[in-house]
Amino acid sequence: MEPEPPRRAYWYVMDTVWSPWAGAAKTKAVADELGVHHFVADFADLHQVRTLAAQLADHCPRIDVLANNAGAILGDRHVTADGFEETFQVNYLAPFLLTNLLLDTLLASQALVVQTSSNAARLSARVDLDDLDNARNYSPVRAYGNAKLELVLFTRELHDRYHEQGLSAVAFHPGGVASNFAQTSRSPVGTLFRTPVPRLLFQSPQKAARQLLRFVTPTPEECVVSGAPQLWEATTASLDLNKR
C-alpha cells in the first residue's frame, strides 16, 4: 500500500475592516467559536494593514489561502489619513498592500489568493489610471465599481506575474447577499439594502461563503490568466512598494 501523502497545514486567519459597524468583538466571537486565530485591522488605515501583515508573517510560517473579502460602499467622498479616497483604499488599495507584504510567504507556500469582487465591476466601473482616487466625477457607486474592477485587474496581473512560481489567483462575484453590507452607506445602494428586498431576494451569507470555498482547491486551468500591468505599476507607486 502506498503511503498517504502528507496533509497540508492550514492556518485559519480572520481579518476584517474594523469600523463602527463591524467591531473587533464580533470577529473575536466568531474566531472563538471556530477555535482559530484571529487578527483585526481597519483597512481605512494603511498602518494597521502593515501591522496585520507583520502579525501574519510572525504567526503564519505558511499561508495556503489568502481571501481578500473585505469591502464597503460608502457615501460622500472622503479622504483617509493616508491621503487616498476611502472607497478606493478599503476595497482595493489595502488588499493590494496586504497581498504584496505577504508575497514571500505566499510564494513559498504556493498559495491561492481569492479576491471577492462584484458585478459592480462590470455595471458601474470606469477606471481612469490618471484618477485612481476618484477626484473627478465621484459617486459612491462608481467608486465602488472602480475598486472592484481594479481588484479583478490586480488578480489577473498577480496570476501573470507569479503563477509560474506556484501562486494561483482568482476573483469572483458571489452574487447578491442578504448581509449587513451597505447598511450605513449614504448611497442608493445603501437605501436598497436597508429595505426588506435583500432578505427576500438575495442568498444567505452562508450560501455566499460556499461560493468562495469552491475556489480553495482550484486547478491551474480554473485561474485567471490575463494581466493589467499598468494598474499594478500605478498602485505600487502609490504605496511606495517599489522602494522595498
Side-chain angles (χ1 to χ4, degrees):
M1 180 181 295
E2 294 184 0
E4 182 180 353
R7 295 184 179 182
R8 302 181 75 181
Y10 286 88
W11 288 76
Y12 295 90
V13 178
M14 303 178 63
D15 61 269
T16 183
V17 178
W18 184 28
S19 61
W21 60 89
K26 181 177 179 181
T27 300
K28 183 179 185 303
V30 175
D32 289 346
E33 180 181 348
L34 296 174
V36 299
H37 298 281
H38 76 283
F39 304 90
V40 177
D42 181 355
F43 278 15
D45 180 350
L46 293 183
H47 175 72
Q48 292 193 38
V49 177
R50 294 179 185 276
T51 299
L52 173 63
Q55 291 173 327
L56 294 179
D58 288 341
H59 287 82
C60 304
R62 179 185 182 91
I63 298 175
D64 291 293
V65 179
L66 174 65
N68 287 317
N69 188 55
I73 184 168
L74 305 172
D76 297 336
R77 187 178 186 274
H78 173 71
V79 176
T80 69
D82 298 296
F84 300 104
E85 189 273 315
E86 190 172 16
T87 310
F88 170 62
Q89 178 168 321
V90 168
N91 290 280
Y92 168 64
L93 209 58
F96 185 100
L97 176 61
L98 180 63
T99 303
N100 272 271
L101 293 176
L102 294 173
L103 193 55
D104 289 344
T105 302
L106 295 171
L107 289 173
S109 305
Q110 295 192 321
L112 167 68
V113 178
V114 182
Q115 320 270 23
T116 302
S117 185
S118 168
N119 204 29
R122 179 176 62 86
L123 298 177
S124 61
R126 188 173 182 179
V127 173
D128 182 349
L129 291 175
D130 295 322
D131 186 31
L132 292 177
D133 239 7
N134 303 302
R136 300 189 294 269
N137 299 317
Y138 172 85
S139 78
V141 175
R142 182 182 295 114
Y144 178 73
N146 283 353
K148 291 304 183 181
L149 177 56
E150 288 156 1
L151 203 61
V152 171
L153 296 175
F154 163 43
T155 306
R156 291 176 174 176
E157 186 66 6
L158 186 69
H159 187 95
D160 267 7
R161 288 176 180 243
Y162 298 109
H163 187 59
E164 289 186 358
Q165 299 179 50
L167 183 72
S168 296
V170 64
F172 78 108
H173 170 50
V177 184
S179 68
N180 291 329
F181 176 77
Q183 289 291 312
T184 62
S185 173
R186 304 170 303 280
S187 70
V189 174
T191 301
L192 172 65
F193 270 81
R194 288 188 290 272
T195 71
V197 171
R199 305 291 176 184
L200 294 172
L201 300 180
F202 293 171
Q203 65 187 320
S204 68
Q206 292 79 9
K207 184 175 181 180
R210 290 195 292 271
Q211 303 291 338
L212 187 154
L213 291 176
R214 67 191 177 95
F215 294 107
V216 169
T217 55
T219 64
E221 291 76 16
E222 292 174 321
C223 296
V224 183
V225 295
S226 60
Q230 296 88 350
L231 179 62
W232 180 288
E233 294 299 336
T235 307
T236 54
S238 296
L239 295 167
D240 292 328
L241 286 175
N242 291 327
K243 298 179 181 180
R244 291 177 61 204

